[in-house]
Amino acid sequence: MFEFFHRRPYLIYSVITAIFFIGIYGLIAMPKNLFPDVERPTVIIVTKMPGATAQVVTNVVSKPIEEEVARLSLIRDISSTNMANFSIVKAEFEYDKGLNAAAVDVSNALSIVKGRLPANASPSVYTTGAFTLPVDIITLTPKIKDLSLSEVRKIADSFIKPYLLSNPEIGNVEVFGGFKSAINIYIDPIKAAQYQVNLDTLTKTIAAINKDVPLGFTKGKEGFFTLTFYGEKNQIEQIKALPVKPNLHLGDIARVEWGHEKRFSGYIGNGKEGIALAVQRAPGGSVLDVSNTARAEMEKLKKQYSNIDFQISDTQHDLIETSNDNMLEALRDAIIYTLIVLMFFLGNFRAVIAVGLSIPAVFFGTISVILLFGGELNIVVYTAIILSLGLLIDDAVVIIENIERHISKLGEAPDDAVIKGTKEVLLPDFAGTLSTTVILFPLMFVGGFPEHIFRPLISTLLIALAISYILSVTFIPHIARFLYRNGVTEKNRVELMFDRFYTNTIGRLIVPYVGILRFSNGKRSFLRKLILIVGILVMLALSVKNIMPIIGRDVMPPMDTGIVKIHLKFSSNATVEEATKELTPFLDWLEKQKEVKMSSVAFGSEAGVLSLGSGNLPSEATITINYVNRFERKKTIWEIEEELRDELHKLKGLKSVDVFDFGATALSSIKAPLDIRLRSSDYKELPEIADKVSRKIADIQGLTSMSTSWKNDFSEANVKIDVNKALSYGLTPMGIASQLPVKGQIVSVEGSLSSMSTQNVRVYLDGNFSQNIESLKMFPLHTAHGVIPLSALAKIDHELTEAKIERNKMLYSIDVGAYRSTRPVSQITADANKRLETLDTTGYELLQEGDIVEINDSMHRILKAIAIGVVLDTLLMIIIFRSITLALMMIFILPLTMIGAAWGMLFFGKPSSMPSMVGLLLLFGIVINNSIIVADFYRKYREKESPFESAMESIRIRFRPVMMTTFGTIAGMIPIALEQAVGLERLSPLADVAIGGMIVGSFLTLVYLPMFAYGFDRRK
């Protein structure tokens, strides 16, 4: 490769120029997100069943669906949330399944089970993942009094949503906030009784008459004709005129209004009640691109609908834009820090210029490759590029230094020095790159969450390493030939200043390093070596034993994104209107907070809407608050959360509240950092047991809030029918129920208004009959013996029941979820386990389903990747050095670097986590790379000197390159360790581990490796 490009300089310049242009285009055009999409394939089945209680929905809808879906291949978890009127069944699959295949399988399973579902059940299938989270939420509110929210909802459903969906950039749009348009028929039961109209018969009559019916066709000499009866009425007056009996029209016994369905959901954006438009991206789409498109369309809509106010009330745009800008700034700083370190160690402007030119080439080359393979830019990819800086320095500097040595010490002409100097280090340079690649590569195939979150990081690192090596043996020699065209000149004042500074600081460490090696070779050298080895092993044991329990373990460390999530519950029987009123004082206070940018409040749920309120009761609210980023405020997000809790606890009627930071769990499928799940075949006792669990763990250090997923606190009016008495009047319980249109039954669908979407026609009881239990008792029932009140055949009693019932893996379940501020999950979970040891678990399962499950699985997978990487690297070292002993000595150093890794995490205050384990893997790669430099020199010098002298010389000669690589890499990692970008808190342990480990690793490489080398050298 070197000779090919050395003879073709214009080719390499053209390739690099092309790389620059492609890279710049990729930097602008590639999708930009915060983190890679790592959610497992998940499919949700939402089934509407009007009028059914949570218990009925569970038994007749969720259970049959669960049983069928559980048979599917690669199913990981199946759960359901059941509440009045609808069921939500969630099927989570393993990564290998794929989202499309999962959706197809679930759809097929649903078609099989559909025959076992009630006739009025209407299931729908939805895919969900990171793309479900709204890119932007646009709040629509009326600007004028004459425009109601019901009318705004009609416009949103019928015009704005279809308009936005017509743009191919936008994946989906969900409309939320209640006020769903409907034609409502309010029947007066008193008038119906006067005209002897049975309400069950009435609803069937409306449904039958108000419908277009194809009758057939005729075919004769005059041609072919279809026969259709057009009965559908699309005007209110026409519906009023529907005949329900001879000479009796619907308007005579009912009010017909075009309004909205009874509300079980609501939305407040930036303190104003409105209708929410949740804009979503397609799977794999770019948050920033979709957001920019939606905002551009919003500006057009503002002009078209001048009486509607459009406001952004929640967004990912600002977070991702800020994070991407921060990461580019961090990359800039990392380059500056690295070049300063390089100048410090070399005191050579030529080397700094060569490296300075190669860095942007590597950066844009890496971006180009990612673009060509259809990748995206996110914080993980940027981190990988920053991490590669120290490694690419090593490649370039080794070439430059060797070329300079050939010119200055061997007296060769510049052209000859470039050729010979480059060829001389091709093998060790390639070996270093290959060894780092080999040790990192297995992590890309460990499966599970670690593979999917870190594959972009590892692949980007490997791309950068490959490009760095290629540039070092192609581009750098051409730069060197130009820089050294006049030979090696005397250093200028600035270079001499840096040179002296190095000599008087880091350079002085050569003396103690050499001194330790001399100590190992004194009298009783075996005992001396043993003391050094035992000493370092004891330090390793003490560091790991004492530090690891202190720092704890997390999947990913908490991060301050400036986004706070709140989930709160009022009384289960509260309506949306009542819950809104109770929350108003808090929202008024929130609007006065200067650091708040926007806020979003979603009450209840709507069938088919997954991005807002999915699974919430009407009395439950999910709040999202966007603050200015952490660089623009004094308080941390956890201090803000404490203020929010204090303010929320002042609200009347509040039953529970959870306040937590965005991304509080590693995956959205994990309900809370600490999630204790109880499972049983019977749900009746689960709420009581959950209360016992809550009391046990309430005062655990580090917990900030706690709640149970459901309770039996819903006051239900139970209609107890005297069956014998009802039969004596010619009525069955079902016959009585059919005469009570209190559930807003859909009797028809209006769809002939060309400018509007279809409108449901719903039937309700008029007046107090649908609002007051005492009035309902007087409801007139039609019997074979005349009209009698409901109270003559039934009693209505109040009792507490379940507003919501949950199931998990075919059993009833309830979750006790708890949130924390920054204390590691492993420590919180361990404390919870101790508290729960005394709890009687007879008759039910108690499981830890929080972050600890992912911690244990991920750590196991990463440790397996590290083990495979180390084994492969050992084999590679044996091949390169043709020595099993030398290879094992190099590998022996690796676990010792955990001393520095542990202290690094303790110093920076970070827990052991997935990023720290990846940092350990990267650390091993860097240490092996430095070990190759030392071992290669020892082997070559050994050909003419004794083992001990070769070891001494390897320290003296290789001290500067090893230290330069170490501190150059550390310098590049400083922006990561200091968390100079929003969201970088998640990955900073990677740098913390590497920085601490490299400091110790450089000492081990320069002292222990030479000691082992000469100590085990038996050659004469």
Side-chain angles (χ1 to χ4, degrees):
M1 182 186 295
F2 163 70
E3 291 183 350
F4 177 84
F5 282 101
H6 185 71
R7 293 194 300 267
R8 298 169 176 84
Y10 292 104
L11 176 61
I12 187 64
Y13 295 146
S14 299
V15 169
I16 290 176
T17 302
I19 284 174
F20 267 85
F21 282 109
I22 296 172
I24 291 170
Y25 171 77
L27 197 60
I28 298 170
M30 270 199 293
K32 296 178 180 67
N33 295 308
L34 186 63
F35 286 100
D37 288 351
V38 294
E39 301 292 337
R40 292 183 175 89
T42 303
V43 180
I44 290 178
I45 305 166
V46 179
T47 307
K48 292 186 284 187
M49 195 175 172
T53 63
Q55 184 179 354
V56 172
V57 167
T58 302
N59 291 330
V60 303
V61 177
S62 293
K63 279 186 178 181
I65 293 175
E66 289 173 21
E67 290 169 3
E68 194 62 40
V69 172
R71 298 171 53 247
L72 300 177
S73 64
L74 294 175
I75 188 80
R76 175 186 172 87
D77 189 38
I78 182 167
S79 59
S80 67
T81 301
N82 307 275
M83 60 189 78
N85 301 318
F86 61 91
S87 145
I88 302 173
V89 177
K90 180 179 178 182
E92 182 181 323
F93 293 83
E94 298 291 353
Y95 285 110
D96 293 339
K97 186 72 173 183
L99 188 60
N100 292 334
V104 170
D105 281 3
V106 171
S107 297
N108 291 337
L110 194 59
S111 64
I112 294 172
V113 78
K114 205 166 184 180
R116 295 161 54 194
L117 302 180
N120 63 335
S122 52
S124 301
V125 177
Y126 303 89
T127 56
T128 184
F131 56 88
T132 308
L133 189 67
V135 169
D136 283 324
I137 296 181
I138 304 170
T139 303
L140 310 181
T141 54
K143 287 183 178 180
I144 57 176
K145 293 181 180 180
D146 294 336
L147 187 65
S148 67
L149 281 174
S150 178
E151 291 167 321
V152 172
R153 175 76 188 236
K154 291 175 193 174
I155 294 170
D157 280 324
S158 302
F159 301 107
I160 298 178
K161 177 179 177 178
Y163 172 76
L164 290 173
L165 287 176
S166 67
N167 192 309
E169 287 286 334
I170 296 174
N172 188 30
V173 177
E174 294 183 335
V175 184
F176 183 87
F179 299 100
K180 195 168 184 180
S181 180
I183 297 173
N184 297 325
I185 301 173
Y186 297 97
I187 299 174
D188 186 334
I190 303 299
K191 288 183 179 181
Q194 290 174 354
Y195 288 102
Q196 297 182 344
V197 176
N198 185 305
L199 298 191
D200 181 30
T201 305
L202 174 63
T203 56
K204 291 177 181 177
T205 301
I206 298 171
I209 295 175
N210 191 32
K211 184 180 293 183
D212 297 338
V213 181
L215 302 178
F217 64 89
T218 64
K219 185 177 181 182
K221 293 181 179 180
E222 296 180 357
F224 176 84
F225 303 93
T226 59
L227 302 178
T228 304
F229 166 70
Y230 288 99
E232 186 172 285
K233 310 301 180 185
N234 55 47
Q235 300 293 334
I236 299 298
E237 293 304 319
Q238 290 179 328
I239 294 175
K240 286 181 180 180
L242 280 174
V244 293
K245 284 184 73 173
N247 300 319
L248 182 67
H249 299 92
L250 180 61
D252 296 331
I253 60 172
R255 289 186 297 115
V256 182
E257 297 177 354
W258 197 350
H260 59 81
E261 300 173 3
K262 288 190 176 180
R263 293 178 62 204
F264 295 98
S265 62
Y267 186 78
I268 300 173
N270 298 331
K272 296 179 182 179
E273 190 169 22
I275 303 300
L277 291 172
V279 180
Q280 299 167 314
R281 61 188 172 101
S286 167
V287 170
L288 287 186
D289 290 346
V290 174
S291 178
N292 290 334
T293 300
R295 293 180 182 209
E297 297 292 356
M298 186 179 75
E299 293 304 316
K300 298 177 185 176
L301 289 167
K302 283 181 179 180
K303 297 175 182 177
Q304 186 175 353
Y305 299 98
S306 57
N307 290 330
I308 297 178
D309 184 35
F310 291 75
Q311 282 191 20
I312 304 292
S313 53
D314 188 17
T315 184
Q316 295 184 66
H317 180 281
D318 296 351
L319 170 62
I320 293 174
E321 188 173 60
T322 301
S323 180
N324 273 266
D325 291 344
N326 289 162
M327 287 305 295
L328 289 174
E329 292 168 1
L331 177 63
R332 175 203 64 199
D333 294 345
I335 293 172
I336 294 171
Y337 299 155
T338 302
L339 293 178
I340 290 173
V341 169
L342 187 63
M343 190 65 192
F344 168 76
F345 277 95
L346 294 179
N348 187 334
F349 275 123
R350 293 175 178 176
V352 172
I353 291 170
V355 173
L357 291 172
S358 67
I359 287 175
V362 172
F363 172 69
F364 287 114
T366 304
I367 296 293
S368 300
V369 175
I370 295 172
L371 173 68
L372 294 175
F373 280 92
E376 68 175 24
L377 290 176
N378 53 55
I379 201 168
V380 174
V381 171
Y382 283 126
T383 299
I385 294 173
I386 292 173
L387 292 173
S388 67
L389 288 178
L391 302 175
L392 71 89
I393 283 175
D394 190 51
D395 288 336
V397 168
V398 165
I399 299 289
I400 289 288
E401 276 197 317
N402 210 47
I403 290 172
E404 185 172 311
R405 185 177 68 85
H406 274 258
I407 295 174
S408 60
K409 294 186 177 181
L410 302 182
E412 294 175 354
D415 285 346
D416 293 336
V418 166
I419 296 172
K420 293 180 180 178
T422 302
K423 286 184 176 181
E424 194 173 74
V425 293
L426 281 178
L427 181 60
D429 201 12
F430 177 74
T433 301
L434 187 60
S435 68
T436 305
T437 300
V438 164
I439 207 164
L440 293 174
F441 191 70
L443 188 58
M444 295 180 65
F445 303 97
V446 295
F449 181 55
E451 176 184 320
H452 286 79
I453 189 69
F454 289 116
R455 175 173 273 191
L457 185 140
I458 301 301
S459 59
T460 303
L461 262 176
L462 297 183
I463 291 168
L465 282 172
I467 293 174
S468 172
Y469 172 75
I470 292 170
L471 287 176
S472 69
V473 300
T474 57
F475 178 61
I476 293 297
H478 283 291
I479 296 297
R481 184 166 63 178
F482 173 77
L483 293 174
Y484 291 99
R485 63 190 183 279
N486 297 321
V488 177
T489 58
E490 293 291 328
K491 290 186 176 183
N492 58 39
R493 290 182 179 181
V494 176
E495 289 175 326
L496 289 172
M497 180 189 71
F498 276 104
D499 203 32
R500 286 193 298 269
F501 186 45
Y502 163 77
T503 304
N504 294 324
T505 52
I506 299 294
R508 292 180 180 271
L509 291 177
I510 295 178
V511 176
Y513 278 40
V514 170
I516 294 172
L517 193 66
R518 282 204 179 100
F519 168 81
S520 69
N521 196 43
K523 293 181 179 179
R524 299 178 181 176
S525 61
F526 177 79
L527 181 60
R528 291 171 180 245
K529 292 183 180 69
L530 186 62
I531 291 172
L532 290 173
I533 294 171
V534 171
I536 200 72
L537 291 174
V538 169
M539 188 175 293
L540 172 65
L542 291 175
S543 298
V544 173
K545 182 181 178 181
N546 294 314
I547 293 176
M548 299 309 287
I550 293 174
I551 61 177
R553 293 185 301 154
D554 265 333
V555 185
M556 304 280 273
M559 60 178 176
D560 182 348
T561 60
I563 301 176
V564 176
K565 307 285 285 187
I566 301 172
H567 184 248
L568 51 83
K569 301 176 184 178
F570 293 101
S571 169
S572 296
N573 285 88
T575 63
V576 171
E577 291 82 1
E578 291 169 341
T580 301
K581 184 178 179 181
E582 296 287 357
L583 189 62
T584 299
F586 170 75
L587 296 179
D588 292 340
W589 171 84
L590 188 66
E591 289 300 307
K592 297 175 184 177
Q593 307 307 304
K594 295 181 180 179
E595 293 180 334
V596 174
K597 294 171 64 179
M598 59 189 76
S599 64
S600 167
V601 184
F603 288 97
S605 305
E606 290 188 18
V609 178
L610 304 181
S611 60
L612 290 166
S614 183
N616 280 351
L617 296 172
S619 59
E620 297 177 0
T622 300
I623 305 175
T624 304
I625 308 172
N626 282 259
Y627 288 82
V628 296
N629 69 66
R630 60 185 171 89
F631 301 114
E632 298 176 14
R633 53 181 156 84
K634 296 179 180 179
K635 297 175 184 176
T636 67
I637 203 70
W638 300 284
E639 291 171 333
I640 290 172
E641 287 171 8
E642 194 59 39
E643 284 184 357
L644 291 171
R645 287 186 201 98
D646 292 340
E647 198 64 31
L648 284 165
H649 281 117
K650 297 176 183 178
L651 297 178
K652 296 178 181 179
L654 186 67
K655 299 194 72 174
S656 70
V657 59
D658 289 319
V659 182
F660 50 96
D661 35 289
F662 174 73
T665 57
L667 292 165
S668 63
S669 57
I670 301 173
K671 291 188 174 182
L674 177 66
D675 181 14
I676 300 168
R677 181 168 298 164
L678 300 162
R679 291 201 307 221
S680 174
S681 57
D682 185 7
Y683 67 87
K684 292 292 186 182
E685 303 299 323
L686 286 178
E688 182 181 346
I689 301 166
D691 287 340
K692 292 180 181 179
V693 171
S694 298
R695 289 193 292 271
K696 287 272 188 184
I697 66 173
D699 59 345
I700 288 179
Q701 180 188 352
L703 292 184
T704 56
S705 62
M706 181 172 53
S707 62
T708 55
S709 56
W710 59 274
K711 292 186 177 183
N712 51 356
D713 59 350
F714 182 74
S715 180
E716 181 181 56
N718 188 2
V719 180
K720 297 181 178 179
I721 299 172
D722 187 331
V723 178
N724 289 329
K725 198 171 182 180
L727 291 173
S728 69
Y729 280 91
L731 289 175
T732 64
M734 286 302 295
I736 294 173
S738 65
Q739 291 193 45
L740 299 172
V742 293
K743 61 185 181 182
Q745 179 181 349
I746 299 175
V747 295
S748 181
V749 176
E750 295 293 340
S752 58
L753 298 174
S754 60
S755 62
M756 298 285 288
S757 58
T758 57
Q759 309 294 304
N760 291 328
V761 178
R762 293 184 176 269
V763 176
Y764 297 99
L765 286 178
D766 199 7
N768 291 331
F769 288 103
S770 62
Q771 302 171 9
N772 186 288
I773 296 298
E774 294 303 316
S775 297
L776 187 62
K777 290 178 181 179
M778 301 307 297
F779 180 85
L781 290 175
H782 291 263
T783 73
H785 303 290
V787 177
I788 62 172
L790 176 62
S791 58
L793 300 181
K795 292 181 180 180
I796 302 179
D797 297 329
H798 288 273
E799 59 183 37
L800 290 177
T801 185
E802 300 77 20
K804 184 191 297 185
I805 297 174
E806 293 181 351
R807 285 170 57 81
N808 177 252
K809 293 183 178 177
M810 316 297 285
L811 293 172
Y812 292 100
S813 66
I814 190 169
D815 291 87
V816 179
Y819 290 89
R820 47 86 189 248
S821 51
T822 56
R823 192 184 181 208
V825 166
S826 64
Q827 297 175 352
I828 291 173
T829 305
D831 288 351
N833 287 335
K834 288 180 183 178
R835 302 284 181 90
L836 297 173
E837 285 176 356
T838 58
L839 189 68
D840 183 12
T841 59
T842 305
Y844 60 91
E845 296 179 52
L846 189 150
L847 306 166
Q848 289 285 1
E849 294 291 334
D851 272 341
I852 194 66
V853 175
E854 202 60 59
I855 289 174
N856 294 334
D857 179 71
S858 298
M859 293 296 185
H860 171 74
R861 292 177 184 276
I862 295 177
L863 285 173
K864 183 169 68 175
I866 292 174
I868 294 172
V870 168
V871 170
L872 293 175
D873 227 22
T874 303
L875 297 175
L876 180 63
M877 294 303 102
I878 292 172
I879 294 170
I880 291 173
F881 292 104
R882 301 177 183 177
S883 169
I884 297 176
T885 304
L886 191 58
L888 292 177
M889 287 187 293
M890 296 165 66
I891 297 301
F892 177 76
I893 289 174
L894 297 182
L896 299 179
T897 59
M898 292 176 62
I899 298 171
W903 284 99
M905 287 186 285
L906 182 66
F907 177 79
F908 286 102
K910 291 294 182 179
S912 175
S913 57
M914 283 203 307
S916 67
M917 298 296 286
V918 175
L920 194 64
L921 202 59
L922 181 64
L923 169 64
F924 286 177
I926 295 169
V927 171
I928 282 290
N929 204 9
N930 284 337
S931 297
I932 289 173
I933 296 174
V934 174
D936 183 64
F937 181 87
Y938 174 86
R939 188 184 60 171
K940 290 179 179 179
Y941 207 80
R942 178 68 180 84
E943 294 174 358
K944 53 184 179 181
E945 294 290 344
S946 66
F948 181 70
E949 285 301 320
S950 298
M952 292 286 286
E953 198 63 20
S954 66
I955 294 178
R956 295 190 187 100
I957 301 300
R958 291 306 181 193
F959 178 85
R960 186 184 293 226
V962 168
M963 285 297 188
M964 182 179 63
T965 300
T966 298
F967 284 95
T969 307
I970 289 174
M973 290 182 178
I974 287 175
I976 301 174
L978 296 181
E979 301 168 355
Q980 288 184 211
V982 173
L984 202 50
E985 302 98 315
R986 279 278 161 97
L987 298 174
S988 61
L990 192 154
D992 302 338
V993 164
I995 289 172
M998 281 189 291
I999 292 172
V1000 174
S1002 62
F1003 170 78
L1004 296 170
T1005 303
L1006 290 167
V1007 174
Y1008 278 78
L1009 182 58
M1011 183 181 75
F1012 291 146
Y1014 89 79
F1016 286 94
D1017 194 337
R1018 295 292 180 265
R1019 291 179 299 165
K1020 294 183 180 179

